[in-house]
Amino acid sequence: MSDKASTHPGAAGRVTTAGRPASVRNVVLVGHSGSGKTTLVEALALTAGAVTRAGRVEDGQTVSDYDEIEQRRQRSVQLSLVPVEWDGIKINLLDTPGYADFVGELRAGLRAADAALFVVSAAQDADSVDGATRTVWEECAAVGMPRAIVVTHLDTARTGYAELTRLCGRIFGGDDPDAVLPLYLPLYGPPGPDGHAPVTGLAGLLTRRLSGYDSGERTESEPGEAELPPMEEARNRLIEGIIAESEDETLMDRYLAGEEIDVATVIADLERAVARGVFHPVLAAAPAVSGGRQGLGTVELLELITRGFPAPPEREAPAVTTPEGAPHASADCDPCGPLLAEVIKTASDPYVGRLSLVRVFSGTLRPDETVHMAGHSQAGHGRAGLTGREDRDDRDMDERVGALSAPFGRRQSPLHECIAGDIACVSGLSRAETGDTLSGKDDPLVMEAWTLPDPLLPLAVAAHGKADEEKLSTGLTRLVTEDPTMRLEQNPDTHQLVLWCLGEAQRDVALERLQGRYGVRVDAEPYRVSLRETFGEPAEGRGRHVKQSGGHGQFAICAIEVDPLPSGSGIEFVDRVVGGSVPRQFIPSVEKGVRAQAARGVAAGHPLVDVRITLRDGKAHSVDSSDAAFQTAGALALREAADRVPIHLLEPVVSVRVLVPDDFVGPVMSDLAGRRGRVVGTEQTVPGRTLVRAEVPEIEIGRYAVDLRSLSHGTGQFTRSYVRHEPMPQHVADRVREEAHSGS
C-alpha cells in the first residue's frame, strides 16, 4: 500500500465524498492493559494532523485518558472517542480499556464499530496475548467483523517480531494461520550501548518499498541487496495468503503456474479480503520520535483503515423490533432514511449535565428535534438482560435532543448534524441510558440488546456521615446509569446497600467517582449473605406478658409447640386451641407476634424458616387482654422455645456454571471443592471449552469473580443462581457467630 489514495487501485468504487456514510470509518481498538492502545491513538492523531504534538490538544490535555482517575491510575477506565481525518475519510477511533473490569466499555466500542484493531505488545512475553483478548477475537469472528493486528513496543521488545507474528497466526488464525500475516517487516538500526537495535522503518512486502521513520517524517526508498532476501520469503507467503482468499478463483491457478500477479490486483484483493473479515494483516506501529510528526507505521495503518476497513453501509445493522416486540425490517445506512440510533455510553458533565455518546445507524440526528427513546424493558427484552437492573416504567417516551458535538479530549466541537454511520455526543437526553434506542417519534423502534456480563462481585456501602446520606442514593444511581455493568441492590434481608461490580478495579474506580464527581464519601462494609435459622429439634415455649400499672393493664399468656419442617416450607401457623382458652379474636394476634419474631430471628438475628408453630393453650383477661399483649406473648413463647433446643444456621446455596477452556477444568473443579462446592456435572459446549456445573455455598464465592479470573488467566466466565438454603456445618456456623459477635 502507498500513501497515494487517489491512485490506489483498491480505492476504485469507494465513495469518499465528505458528509456521506461511505466517508466514515468506525474502528475499535482492543487489547490487554498496557498493550499501547492509547499511545497508538495519540500517534495516529498526530500523524493525521489532529494534534500538534503527541497526544495533546490546545489546552494541554491528552486526546485520550483525560479523565482524572485515568491520569492518576495511568490506565484507561472508560471508552474514548477520538475522531481524525485521513485522505478525506473521517475515522472514529474508539479507544477501549484493556482491563477486564471495564469490559462494558469494550462492549460499547464493539457495538459502535465496524472493524477492530487488535493491539499486541512486543514488550511482553510470547504468551502476552491474554485469554480475554482471544475471547473478543472469537466473538468478532462469529459476527464477521473485519480485524487487523498492530504490534507495538518494538523499541522495548522482549519477543521478536517474527516470533510474535507467528504467535498471532497460531492464536488468531486458528485452522488457517495463513489468514494472519504481516504486511510489513521492521527495519533495525545499529545497536545502541545496551545492545538493543532500534526500529527505524518498515519494509513493505507488497510494494517492495522501504519506509524510513528515523527522522520523524516518513521517507521512501528502494531496498538494498541485504533487505531483499528476507522480504521475498515473507512476500511470497503473504501473496499466497491473500490469493487464497480472493474472490477470483483463477488467480491461485495463475499464480501457481508462475504468472507474475500485478501488485495492484493483489492490493485490491487484500482490501476486499480485509473488509470481508477473512484476512487479517499484521502491522507495526510506534509513536513519533522527539520532534517528529509521523510515528512508525502510522501512515500505513491509516491507509489500511481508510481502504481496507469497511464503511458503515457495508456492515449490517443490528436487528430491530417495535417497542411491543414485533419484528421490524432492518434500516439501511441512509442519511435520508428513518432515524435509528443507539446510546452506546452515558456520562455526567458538571457543566452540561448528562452526555450521551450516540451511534447513528440510519437517518440523520439533528439538535433540538424530538425523538423517541426506548429501552429494553419494552420489546420483551427485559432491562435486566442488558444492565442487570430492574425494568423501569419510563423507558418508552419522547425526548428532545440537545446540542450535538464531536468529542476530542475534554473539548467538544459543535456539530449541526450527525449522519448515518457517524458517532456524536448528544446533550439533553436526561433519561437516556446505555443501550437505549433513539428513533423517529412516529415510528418507534428498539435495537437488539448487546451482551454484557453480570456483575458478580458485591460491595456493601454505607454513607460515611450525615451529609453523605442525602447524596448517596443519587450518586449511586448515576453510577449504574453510566455503567450498565454495575447493579445496585437494597438487600431486603441484610438491609445492606450493595453495589455489584465486575472486579476490584471497577469497584475502586466507582468509589473514587462517588467522592470526586458526586461528593459522596462511603464506608465499605463486609458483604453479608442472607442466612436463615431453623429449629434443630421440636420444642415447646410459653409466653407470659402480664403487667399492671394502674388503669388497664396488659395480660396475655400463650403456649406453643414448634416442629421443624423440610427445607423450603417457610413458616406454618396452626391453631389447636380448645375450650376458648385464647379468645378467637386474639389468635391472629398470636400469629402476628410469632411471625414478627420469626422475621427478626431467635438466635443470631437471621429470619426463622421451615418450622410449624402450633398454638396449644393460653389465658386471657376480660379487661386487660389486647391485640398488642397477645402479639408480645406470642413472640416471647417463640423465643423461649428457641432457648431450649439447638438452632441451626442455614446458608444460601447457589448453582454455579463455570465456562473455561479445557486446560483449566481440573484447577476449577479443585478450587470449587475447596469452597465446599459439589460438582454436579461437566459438558463440552464448544470445541476447547467445558461447562462445569456445581452447587456452592454463597458465603464461599464472594470473591469468585476475582479468583476465577486469576485461576483461568482471564478466560473463565461464570453465572450463579439461588437454589436453596441448607444447614451450615457447625464449625462454619461457629465462625460466623463469632464474627457477628465481634462486629456488633
Side-chain angles (χ1 to χ4, degrees):
M1 290 185 179
S2 72
D3 60 350
K4 301 291 190 294
S6 59
T7 61
H8 198 287
R14 288 273 178 89
V15 179
T16 57
T17 305
R20 299 186 61 179
S23 65
V24 177
R25 302 291 183 273
N26 297 309
V27 182
V28 61
L29 282 81
V30 180
H32 63 81
S33 184
S35 61
K37 298 184 299 297
T38 298
T39 303
L40 178 59
V41 167
E42 294 173 348
L44 293 172
L46 180 64
T47 297
V51 293
T52 56
R53 55 194 179 99
R56 304 287 167 175
V57 291
E58 285 79 354
D59 60 1
Q61 297 291 334
T62 57
V63 298
S64 197
D65 284 5
Y66 54 85
D67 182 84
E68 292 179 0
I69 294 177
E70 292 179 317
Q71 293 177 358
R72 187 162 53 249
R73 291 175 169 266
Q74 296 294 300
R75 173 190 292 167
S76 298
V77 300
Q78 62 182 0
L79 173 70
S80 299
L81 171 63
V82 179
V84 300
E85 185 173 333
W86 184 258
D87 197 27
I89 303 294
K90 180 184 179 182
I91 305 172
N92 289 317
L93 297 170
L94 294 151
D95 183 16
T96 65
Y99 201 68
D101 283 13
F102 307 105
V103 67
E105 305 288 322
L106 169 62
R107 298 290 177 190
L110 290 169
R111 179 67 159 207
D114 302 305
L117 284 176
F118 281 74
V119 183
V120 177
S121 172
Q124 307 295 324
D125 293 325
D127 60 353
S128 61
V129 183
D130 67 333
T133 302
R134 302 182 196 192
T135 300
V136 176
W137 179 278
E138 293 169 1
E139 293 175 2
C140 291
V143 297
M145 176 176 281
R147 287 145 283 151
I149 301 161
V150 184
V151 178
T152 59
H153 298 153
L154 286 171
D155 52 340
T156 57
R158 294 178 59 184
T159 305
Y161 183 77
E163 180 184 357
L164 196 55
T165 54
R166 284 194 297 270
L167 175 71
C168 290
R170 187 171 71 251
I171 292 175
F172 296 133
D175 296 334
D176 187 12
D178 286 341
V180 181
L181 294 171
L183 290 185
Y184 301 89
L185 299 181
L187 301 173
Y188 296 94
D194 58 355
H196 183 75
V199 180
T200 59
L202 298 172
L205 297 180
L206 294 182
T207 60
R208 289 194 179 100
R209 298 279 292 174
L210 305 184
S211 301
Y213 282 91
D214 53 345
S215 66
E217 296 290 333
R218 182 177 184 270
T219 59
E220 287 194 5
S221 62
E222 295 290 337
E225 293 184 2
E227 290 95 0
L228 279 175
M231 287 177 61
E232 286 305 305
E233 181 181 352
R235 184 178 190 271
N236 291 335
R237 187 182 179 196
L238 173 63
I239 291 176
E240 289 181 13
I242 294 171
I243 291 177
E245 304 296 343
S246 175
E247 296 176 337
D248 184 351
E249 297 179 356
T250 68
L251 204 57
M252 179 61 78
D253 293 335
R254 290 158 49 196
Y255 176 75
L256 294 177
E259 180 181 336
E260 182 72 22
I261 306 299
D262 181 62
V263 173
T265 301
V266 176
I267 291 177
D269 271 338
L270 166 66
E271 294 174 354
R272 284 191 287 266
V274 171
R276 285 163 40 222
V278 296
F279 187 82
H280 317 290
V282 182
L283 298 89
V289 297
S290 179
R293 186 180 67 85
Q294 295 177 335
L296 181 141
T298 53
V299 171
E300 287 81 1
L301 185 52
L302 288 168
E303 290 177 357
L304 174 72
I305 291 172
T306 54
R307 296 171 216 167
F309 282 168
E314 299 173 56
R315 296 285 297 164
E316 186 176 350
V320 295
T321 66
T322 66
E324 294 73 32
H328 192 281
S330 297
D332 294 329
C333 187
D334 180 1
C336 299
L339 178 65
L340 181 65
E342 186 172 38
V343 178
I344 59 172
K345 178 180 174 61
T346 55
S348 296
D349 186 278
Y351 303 105
V352 299
R354 184 175 297 183
L355 283 175
S356 303
L357 192 63
V358 174
R359 160 76 192 259
V360 179
F361 289 90
S362 174
T364 300
L365 189 65
R366 297 182 176 86
D368 299 323
E369 70 176 344
T370 300
V371 300
H372 184 83
M373 182 187 73
H376 291 280
S377 57
Q378 287 80 48
H381 293 297
R383 188 73 184 170
L386 175 66
T387 66
R389 292 168 289 184
E390 294 297 327
D391 290 356
R392 291 171 47 183
D393 57 5
D394 60 351
R395 311 310 308 140
D396 191 7
M397 61 182 299
D398 290 344
E399 281 228 74
R400 190 174 184 81
V401 176
L404 302 185
S405 59
F408 201 80
R410 292 187 181 275
R411 187 182 66 195
Q412 300 284 334
S413 301
L415 296 175
H416 69 277
E417 65 179 15
C418 182
I419 65 168
D422 208 351
I423 304 172
C425 271
V426 182
S427 64
L429 301 177
S430 59
R431 293 179 178 265
E433 296 182 3
T434 301
D436 285 351
T437 302
L438 306 180
S439 56
K441 61 180 182 179
D442 297 327
D443 185 18
L445 299 172
V446 180
M447 298 186 70
E448 178 185 38
W450 72 77
T451 303
L452 286 175
D454 289 332
L456 296 170
L457 181 69
L459 170 65
V461 296
H464 180 74
K466 187 70 175 178
D468 301 303
E469 289 182 4
E470 301 175 357
K471 299 181 288 185
L472 179 59
S473 178
T474 300
L476 288 172
T477 301
R478 288 181 177 176
L479 277 183
V480 298
T481 297
E482 295 175 11
D483 190 343
T485 61
M486 291 193 293
R487 177 166 52 89
L488 187 61
E489 172 193 64
Q490 180 74 57
N491 191 299
D493 295 324
T494 65
H495 307 294
Q496 286 186 309
L497 191 59
V498 183
L499 184 65
W500 290 87
C501 307
L502 293 175
E504 293 174 312
Q506 187 188 42
R507 176 199 65 191
D508 295 343
V509 167
L511 292 176
E512 287 186 55
R513 282 183 173 157
L514 269 179
Q515 182 166 353
R517 185 178 294 178
Y518 304 117
V520 182
R521 295 181 303 164
V522 298
D523 297 322
E525 301 177 335
Y527 172 71
R528 300 192 297 271
V529 301
S530 302
L531 300 178
R532 300 284 187 268
E533 300 173 353
T534 194
F535 276 58
E537 301 172 5
E540 296 181 354
R542 185 171 183 270
R544 184 176 186 275
H545 183 62
V546 179
K547 289 188 177 181
Q548 196 71 39
S549 57
H552 284 295
Q554 300 181 50
F555 187 97
I557 299 174
C558 63
I560 64 170
E561 293 177 356
V562 183
D563 296 293
L565 293 177
S567 176
S569 300
I571 299 287
E572 290 185 16
F573 181 83
V574 180
D575 171 23
R576 290 286 186 267
V577 174
V578 294
S581 57
V582 177
R584 306 308 302 171
Q585 69 268 27
F586 293 132
I587 290 176
S589 303
V590 177
E591 180 179 1
K592 188 174 181 181
V594 297
R595 287 189 180 275
Q597 184 62 55
R600 294 191 295 268
V602 294
H606 305 294
L608 179 70
V609 295
D610 301 335
V611 293
R612 178 188 296 114
I613 302 170
T614 304
L615 178 60
R616 289 292 186 183
D617 199 3
K619 291 183 180 179
H621 189 277
S622 59
V623 176
D624 292 341
S625 291
S626 65
D627 170 69
F630 271 100
Q631 286 190 46
T632 303
L636 291 172
L638 184 59
R639 282 156 54 185
E640 181 180 283
D643 289 340
R644 296 179 175 180
V645 295
I647 300 298
H648 293 167
L649 275 185
L650 304 178
E651 60 181 341
V653 175
V654 294
S655 173
V656 175
R657 297 166 61 89
V658 187
L659 182 64
V660 290
D662 294 344
D663 294 343
F664 298 106
V665 171
V668 164
M669 293 176 67
S670 298
D671 179 73
L672 291 172
R675 299 172 186 270
R676 298 189 286 124
R678 298 183 295 273
V679 175
V680 297
T682 62
E683 58 186 86
Q684 197 84 23
T685 54
V686 295
R689 287 184 173 267
T690 298
L691 179 68
V692 179
R693 292 179 285 110
E695 292 183 351
V696 189
E698 184 182 0
I699 201 171
E700 301 288 349
I701 62 167
R703 285 179 45 85
Y704 194 59
V706 177
D707 297 338
L708 177 63
R709 185 180 299 163
S710 175
L711 184 67
S712 65
H713 298 180
T715 61
Q717 306 171 32
F718 84 104
T719 60
R720 49 178 274 184
S721 58
Y722 171 78
V723 179
R724 62 183 174 275
H725 274 72
E726 64 181 33
M728 180 181 286
Q730 189 59 46
H731 70 282
V732 180
D734 292 341
R735 188 188 71 210
V736 170
R737 289 190 179 101
E738 286 179 13
E739 292 174 353
H741 180 72
S742 61
S744 59

